[in-house]
Amino acid sequence: MRVLLLGPFDIRDTDDRPVDLAGARLRALVARLALEPGREISADTLLDAIWEDDAPSANALQALVSRVRRAIGAEKLTRGAAGYRLAVEAADVDVLRFERLAEAGRRHGDLAALREAEALWRGPALADLLHLRFAEAEAIRLERLRTETTRARLALEIATGTDVLAELEPLAGAHPLDERWQALLMRALYATGRPAEALDVFERARERLADELGADPSAELAELHLQILRQSAAPGERAERRRSNLKAQLTSFVGREADLDALTEAVAASRLVTVTGPGGAGKTRLAVEAASRIAVAAQGVWMVELASVADGADVAPAVLRAIGAREAGLLDASTHDAASRLEEYFADEDALVVLDNCEHRIDAVAELTARLLGACPRLRILATSREALAIGGERLYPIPPLPLSTKDPEASPAVRLFAERAAAVRPDFKLDAANIEAVVEICRRLDGLPLAVELAAARMRALDAAQIAARLDDRFALLAGADRTAPERHRTLEGVIAWSWELLSDAERALAMRMSVYPGGVGLDRVDDLDALAGLVDKSFVERNAERYRMLETIRSYAVAQLDRGDRAEAERDAMTRYCLDLAERSDDEIRAAAQLEALARLDAEHVNLLAVLGRSVALGHKETGLRMVAALFWYWHLRGFRTQLQHWFPAVLDLPGEVPAPLVPAVLLVTGMAQTEKGDLDAGARSITEGIALGREAGGAIPGRSLLAIAPAFLSDPAVAGDPESADGWELGIILLTAAAVGEGSTGPEGAAQVERAEAEFTKLGERFGLASALRMRAEYWARRGDHDAAGNALAQAARLLDELGTAADAAETYAELALVTAMGGAIEQAWETIDLGFERADAERDPHTTAYVRWCRAQVLLRAGETDTALSELAAAERVFDGSAEDSRVQVWGAALRAVVALADGDAALAHRRLEALTAGRIEGAADPNLAVAARVAAAVALADGDAARAAALLGAAVALLGTEDLRGYDEALRTPERVREALGDKAFEAEYNRGAALGRDDAIALLLANLSGP
């Protein structure tokens, strides 16, 4: 049976004939159930969906159900313990089929999938049910997804050369302020040989944005406009993900073409090349251009800006942030520092990393570079620095100033650079006989330093070349004696900045000095004079990147020096500290609520500034500020995987002189306890956490880093420490419930299921993705154990989407792997392969060995389902090697032995199955969680049956139920048919007696029974 909702409601039977279902409420009932096929929907939810605020008694719903059953068959609409369930596959509901095709198409650039997804639509979604709230909300969501799918499909059509203008022009016209539609139209026009019309689209969009929103076109739209202006190759969008963070350059590359060729060859020949030269020599731009060339062949090319790194300990984490990798999974114990994670990430990666401005932290950069190059044989590093890293194998590439030819000055790189940049700010400027002499003089006096030349050219907006040359004369005469020990080029560059500084208005200088204390740049909320900001941007003192504004590091350093000469320096830094601390503490609440993604983006943008506040706190001994910042950033650092930040800054701040302020004592105890637990000191950790929780609750939970109170109990074995759910609400309540239910890898009894369901409701109400995804993963495990693989799959699919939105690649990888496994359990092997690929894709982005091993572990079980036994056992062994000695070790070992024994039994080799189970030691068994012990007990029952002891087998089956809390229907041993065969061997009465004896055992007795049966008959 198929349920069609993408248009007027329709049901089709197995022969594709329409099923008559008269009545809006009948259709509403089926539609609401079909949105979650295979999952039990509570009667209250259905009553609310169908009757909304006028819900009648449950009898009315039962009457509707009876009528639907008569139309579609009683087996299609069943009643369970939790509610009603529509027994159809997800693939038979066009909404879910559309969602899966659309996601696969967008993620993989699959044009056929996107076309198929759009073809499912027959009109407006849920067209004849839009008077109901649930249908209206779902229709709005689906229409948005349809729009995104259409946009992705059109982009791919354009990339493959298809003329889509007839379809695209009305869509772009209907969304005149949507820059993505305008960009697509520009690409389509350009691809069909109509660049002038593409430029007209840009101008219309620019004027409309300015008139209606007071905004400029985005950097992406402006760059597309520039590409078309230059008549470059067709700027089609790449269908596949680009593994690089290099930014497109908005200005042309002038004057170093020969250097670019030579540097590219040097990087190809040497694994470490350092571009050296004075500040402003153009090292960064040259390195970026060389990296862009190499990006075509390399697996990954990453740019890491180190100018704003405030501490040597943050160099490796800065590289991790730049490549988008995490240090550890959420709440996972950290077994590696950031440098070790980089070694793992680049272990077999053919990649290039550009380390920019290394001189700021030269020792830490040199140490990390030597370590990575030694551990990662295919990695190359291109560094820029004012001095060499001075490590073995380094090849230096010093770049001289841009040359100036006396014979042909107009062709000189320095003059060409000045002329092009001057024309950018003064379109009527051209080199001619009247100005060439002054331009050559400017370039000569500036020693051909690209930054200095560009700064001088920027003044052409207000001055002519002769006036600039004259002012340079005066300025450098004044500054010549400023620092006679400094290299002349450094003095020259400082002179150019000083001269440009004097041309700023008082308001512009004041704003520049305020902005200089923010190494990570600022948003508009830190700018009180927009006219001054516009002036700084126009005069090349400030760069705009999306909604952020920052200075080039050389200019920022000069502005800081000017600030330090006045009496406002400490006041500005104190204001920055207050702003950053308030932002961090405010965001700590927001990243646990509906505004989570916005809060995370805000913290990402300000992270360099937040670290600067921590650095200043340590330098000045401001213990309270430092501890408040650590407490506020704790959960953000966990979500982003920045474990090294906590490990570095918490002890650095805690070791400062002075007592811990009383309000911060609970947070300090909780962080200390978690660190002690991770290091293996479980007793000390438990004491610290228990004391911290007690003090925090005495304060009513109103402590800095409030999330710590909810998270810390997860590090303990006693769920009662998590607290009384009735005394909490919101996010804290959800975490308390999950922590209590998660002990022993999740209770499967009614109490544990109710806790997880209640937690899910809390996180859904809040709109918080991490908690909701965690609850859904636990609910999926609950359903999988009961054999409801469709419900488990739907939960995992939703959890994976949430984790993708959150940007936690490792957790998303594990969730996709679990989704693949339950999909295979449900018999959809081909679909499972697609999903396991998504898991590997996320794991590859993270490049954490444990994440990859977990995906392989799940893949091994999918392979077993597919009958590829040899490959499965090989995958299983590979995963086990990675997990050896880790927190997951007992689980992996128990499952591995059990699965190998199942394979042996399926092959008829009971002796081999015996040996494989006997490999489990008492220590591994006793340290395993109950759900995993249930697996071992159930497989031990199959071995006992093969040995001819059916009574013992029945008792072990009962013991498995005692350990799991339910009959195990995960299906790993379904081919063995153990329960049926044991019942056949014993007869019903004897089977029930032995089975009930095992099921009545407590945990210790059940483990004892299992251990007694591992050693043989």
Side-chain angles (χ1 to χ4, degrees):
M1 185 180 77
R2 292 188 300 131
V3 182
L4 308 179
L5 304 176
L6 298 178
F9 180 94
D10 193 10
I11 298 181
R12 297 278 171 163
D13 64 16
T14 54
D15 296 323
D16 203 36
R17 293 174 303 193
V19 176
D20 185 24
L21 198 64
R25 288 193 173 120
L26 299 179
R27 293 194 293 273
L29 171 61
V30 174
R32 180 60 186 85
L33 289 168
L35 290 173
E36 299 180 79
R39 180 179 178 182
E40 290 182 9
I41 309 298
S42 70
D44 288 343
T45 299
L46 293 173
L47 285 166
D48 181 68
I50 299 167
W51 281 278
E52 299 187 344
D53 299 327
D54 298 316
S57 68
N59 292 334
L61 177 61
Q62 291 171 2
L64 280 187
V65 170
S66 297
R67 292 171 63 189
V68 170
R69 281 174 170 166
R70 285 196 295 271
I72 67 174
E75 75 282 358
K76 292 295 184 183
L77 180 51
T78 61
R79 176 68 188 264
Y84 293 93
R85 170 177 176 267
L86 191 65
V88 296
E89 296 291 334
D92 292 328
V93 180
D94 61 354
V95 168
L96 299 183
R97 180 169 174 77
F98 166 73
E99 289 179 326
R100 292 184 179 181
L101 285 168
E103 181 179 3
R106 292 197 309 274
R107 190 177 301 282
H108 300 295
D110 188 342
L111 184 55
L114 292 172
R115 288 171 175 167
E116 185 180 351
E118 286 189 278
L120 294 171
W121 286 74
R122 300 168 293 108
L126 298 151
D128 43 5
L129 295 172
L130 293 178
H131 60 286
L132 296 173
R133 283 195 298 259
F134 88 88
E136 182 184 22
E138 186 67 9
I140 292 172
R141 183 186 71 83
L142 288 168
E143 290 292 349
R144 287 175 180 167
L145 182 55
R146 183 185 189 182
T147 299
E148 294 299 323
T149 303
T150 299
R151 185 158 35 220
R153 193 258 305 164
L154 288 171
L156 290 174
E157 301 273 20
I158 294 168
T160 57
T162 305
D163 185 350
V164 296
L165 283 172
E167 179 183 3
L168 179 54
E169 285 179 322
L171 292 169
H175 302 87
L177 296 177
D178 189 323
E179 292 181 70
R180 294 172 295 176
W181 282 117
Q182 306 312 311
L184 266 185
L185 182 56
M186 290 171 66
R187 294 179 190 280
L189 288 166
Y190 186 91
T192 53
R194 298 155 70 178
E197 293 179 53
L199 296 175
D200 284 342
V201 171
F202 174 83
E203 288 302 321
R204 290 197 302 271
R206 183 183 62 78
E207 291 171 4
R208 198 148 196 167
L209 286 167
D211 292 342
E212 297 187 29
L213 301 180
D216 293 327
S218 66
E220 293 78 8
L221 197 63
E223 172 62 12
L224 178 59
H225 174 247
L226 188 60
Q227 288 183 16
I228 295 174
L229 277 174
R230 293 174 180 164
Q231 298 291 294
S232 60
E237 294 181 336
R238 294 184 57 176
E240 61 186 51
R241 190 178 53 153
R242 183 182 179 214
R243 295 199 58 204
S244 172
N245 66 346
L246 291 179
K247 297 177 183 176
Q249 301 299 308
L250 298 180
T251 58
S252 58
F253 184 63
V254 180
R256 293 205 184 276
E257 291 82 1
D259 284 320
L260 178 58
D261 292 337
L263 179 58
T264 303
E265 292 177 4
V267 175
S270 302
R271 294 181 57 218
L272 172 60
V273 178
T274 303
V275 180
T276 59
K283 301 184 294 294
T284 298
R285 182 60 186 272
L286 178 61
V288 168
E289 293 293 334
S292 297
R293 282 192 178 183
I294 295 167
V296 176
Q299 288 179 325
V301 177
W302 309 104
M303 179 74 175
V304 184
E305 298 174 354
L306 298 174
S308 58
V309 171
D311 191 282
D314 194 39
V315 169
V319 180
L320 273 176
R321 291 194 296 271
I323 65 178
R326 297 165 54 87
E327 294 172 26
L330 296 178
L331 296 178
D332 290 342
S334 178
T335 57
H336 301 296
D337 58 17
S340 297
R341 276 290 292 116
L342 289 170
E343 289 181 0
E344 295 170 348
Y345 189 96
F346 291 117
D348 57 356
E349 182 90 340
D350 182 8
L352 172 70
V353 174
V354 181
L355 300 177
D356 190 35
N357 288 304
C358 297
E359 66 273 6
H360 290 271
R361 296 287 175 260
I362 192 73
D363 292 335
V365 173
E367 181 182 353
L368 177 64
T369 298
R371 179 172 174 177
L372 292 180
L373 290 175
C376 311
R378 298 170 64 192
L379 175 66
R380 296 177 185 275
I381 291 179
L382 174 57
T384 74
S385 178
R386 296 185 189 182
E387 57 181 302
L389 300 186
I391 61 178
E394 180 181 26
R395 178 172 176 174
L396 297 180
Y397 191 90
I399 59 171
L402 293 174
L404 185 65
S405 170
T406 55
K407 294 182 180 179
D408 187 9
E410 292 187 23
S412 300
V415 174
R416 286 167 48 213
L417 177 63
F418 182 93
E420 183 161 329
R421 299 299 189 260
V425 298
R426 189 169 174 173
D428 62 344
F429 174 80
K430 292 183 180 178
L431 283 173
D432 55 30
N435 60 34
I436 185 65
E437 185 176 342
V439 171
V440 170
E441 176 68 8
I442 291 169
C443 294
R444 184 183 66 79
R445 295 297 302 274
L446 296 182
D447 282 348
L449 288 174
L451 176 59
V453 171
E454 294 200 26
L455 286 171
R459 302 278 69 75
M460 289 294 291
R461 183 189 296 272
L463 306 173
D464 60 32
Q467 290 171 322
I468 292 173
R471 287 173 174 251
L472 284 176
D473 254 347
D474 295 339
R475 179 55 60 189
F476 291 129
L478 177 64
L479 296 178
D483 183 359
R484 297 185 182 276
T485 64
E488 181 178 349
R489 294 191 185 98
H490 286 206
R491 299 204 306 274
T492 301
L493 180 60
E494 183 179 358
V496 173
I497 299 174
W499 163 69
S500 297
W501 182 265
E502 292 302 322
L503 294 179
L504 298 178
S505 68
D506 290 342
E508 290 167 345
R509 281 195 293 269
L511 178 58
M513 285 188 288
R514 285 198 299 276
M515 290 178 64
S516 71
V517 302
Y518 294 85
V522 300
L524 283 177
D525 61 331
R526 300 305 295 156
V527 178
D528 55 7
D529 189 336
L530 295 181
D531 290 336
L533 177 64
L536 291 173
V537 173
D538 286 344
K539 294 166 186 173
S540 302
F541 266 78
V542 169
E543 292 180 321
R544 178 185 176 185
N545 183 7
E547 299 303 316
R548 301 286 296 179
Y549 298 84
R550 63 177 299 175
M551 296 177 172
L552 292 174
E553 189 60 23
T554 305
I555 294 176
R556 192 181 76 84
S557 298
Y558 185 88
V560 167
Q562 300 307 304
L563 178 66
D564 287 338
R565 290 173 184 165
D567 58 1
R568 291 286 304 163
E570 289 308 305
E572 293 294 348
R573 290 187 174 96
D574 288 343
M576 178 225 185
T577 296
R578 289 193 298 273
Y579 169 77
C580 289
L581 188 56
D582 175 72
L583 180 142
E585 292 181 332
R586 175 165 39 90
S587 299
D588 183 38
D589 285 331
E590 293 177 353
I591 60 175
R592 294 179 281 113
Q596 183 174 52
L597 295 184
E598 294 83 353
L600 285 170
R602 187 187 316 123
L603 288 169
D604 289 341
E606 296 287 353
H607 194 228
V608 170
N609 295 330
L610 302 176
L611 294 181
V613 169
L614 279 167
R616 182 170 183 250
S617 299
V618 172
L620 299 180
H622 293 170
K623 190 166 189 171
E624 180 176 358
T625 298
L627 288 174
R628 284 176 63 188
M629 185 66 81
V630 168
L633 292 176
F634 173 85
W635 188 238
Y636 164 72
W637 280 340
H638 274 283
L639 284 175
R640 284 293 185 243
F642 298 160
R643 187 64 58 88
T644 298
Q645 302 294 354
L646 181 65
Q647 292 171 338
H648 172 70
W649 289 112
F650 180 60
V653 172
L654 192 61
D655 288 344
L656 293 173
E659 296 295 323
V660 175
L664 286 159
V665 170
V668 169
L669 284 168
L670 293 171
V671 177
T672 299
M674 286 184 276
Q676 290 167 330
T677 303
E678 288 183 344
K679 292 176 182 177
D681 193 347
L682 303 183
D683 291 339
R687 288 193 297 271
S688 298
I689 290 172
T690 303
E691 184 180 354
I693 289 173
L695 291 175
R697 289 191 182 134
E698 286 179 12
I703 66 168
R706 199 176 71 179
S707 61
L708 290 163
L709 274 177
I711 292 300
F715 288 74
L716 302 176
S717 59
D718 181 6
V721 180
D724 178 11
E726 305 310 319
S727 66
D729 59 13
W731 191 82
E732 287 78 8
L733 170 59
I735 293 294
I736 287 173
L737 291 166
L738 285 188
T739 300
V743 172
E745 296 191 16
S747 168
T748 58
E751 181 182 357
Q755 288 171 326
V756 178
E757 185 173 7
R758 188 178 170 193
E760 180 185 351
E762 287 295 324
F763 293 127
T764 300
K765 183 168 60 179
L766 288 170
E768 199 279 307
R769 290 162 180 79
F770 165 71
L772 180 55
S774 300
L776 287 167
R777 289 178 73 180
M778 293 178 68
R779 293 263 278 169
E781 179 69 13
Y782 175 85
W783 281 314
R785 291 168 183 171
R786 282 158 176 74
D788 193 344
H789 300 130
D790 287 341
N794 290 335
L796 288 169
Q798 184 182 349
R801 287 195 295 270
L802 292 168
L803 292 168
D804 274 341
E805 291 177 9
L806 201 56
T808 56
D811 301 281
E814 293 182 359
T815 306
Y816 278 117
E818 292 162 1
L819 174 57
L821 183 52
V822 299
T823 301
M825 289 176 181
I829 299 295
E830 290 304 317
Q831 188 177 335
W833 294 134
E834 296 175 7
T835 309
I836 205 75
D837 286 344
L838 295 178
F840 277 116
E841 180 183 310
R842 304 303 188 278
D844 185 55
E846 191 69 12
R847 297 189 69 79
D848 173 44
H850 285 84
T851 300
T852 302
Y854 187 82
V855 178
R856 295 185 75 176
W857 186 67
C858 291
R859 181 174 183 265
Q861 296 176 66
V862 176
L863 285 164
L864 287 174
R865 289 267 172 178
E868 300 181 35
T869 304
D870 292 340
T871 307
L873 295 180
S874 176
E875 281 284 82
L876 202 59
E880 288 171 341
R881 286 192 293 272
V882 176
F883 284 117
D884 187 25
S886 71
E888 286 282 329
D889 187 27
S890 63
R891 178 189 184 193
V892 170
Q893 294 296 335
V894 169
W895 271 88
L899 291 173
R900 288 183 177 88
V902 169
V903 169
L905 288 169
D907 290 339
D909 193 340
L912 178 58
H914 245 307
R915 292 196 297 273
R916 286 175 170 173
L917 274 186
E918 286 173 0
L920 290 175
T921 63
R924 290 197 189 280
I925 289 293
E926 291 166 353
D930 290 0
N932 304 320
L933 293 175
V935 177
R938 192 172 171 92
V939 176
V943 173
L945 179 62
D947 290 336
D949 193 339
R952 185 155 52 97
L956 284 165
L957 287 173
V961 172
L963 290 164
L964 191 62
T966 183
E967 185 72 27
D968 194 345
L969 300 178
R970 283 174 283 190
Y972 49 85
D973 63 342
E974 64 183 4
L976 302 179
R977 297 181 59 253
T978 306
E980 296 90 335
R981 292 169 57 223
V982 173
R983 184 182 289 274
E984 291 169 2
L986 290 177
D988 289 343
K989 185 175 181 181
F991 173 83
E992 294 294 341
E994 290 297 327
Y995 180 91
N996 292 335
R997 181 173 68 84
L1001 296 174
R1003 182 179 191 274
D1004 291 343
D1005 290 335
I1007 292 175
L1009 176 64
L1010 173 60
L1011 286 172
N1013 284 276
L1014 290 182
S1015 58

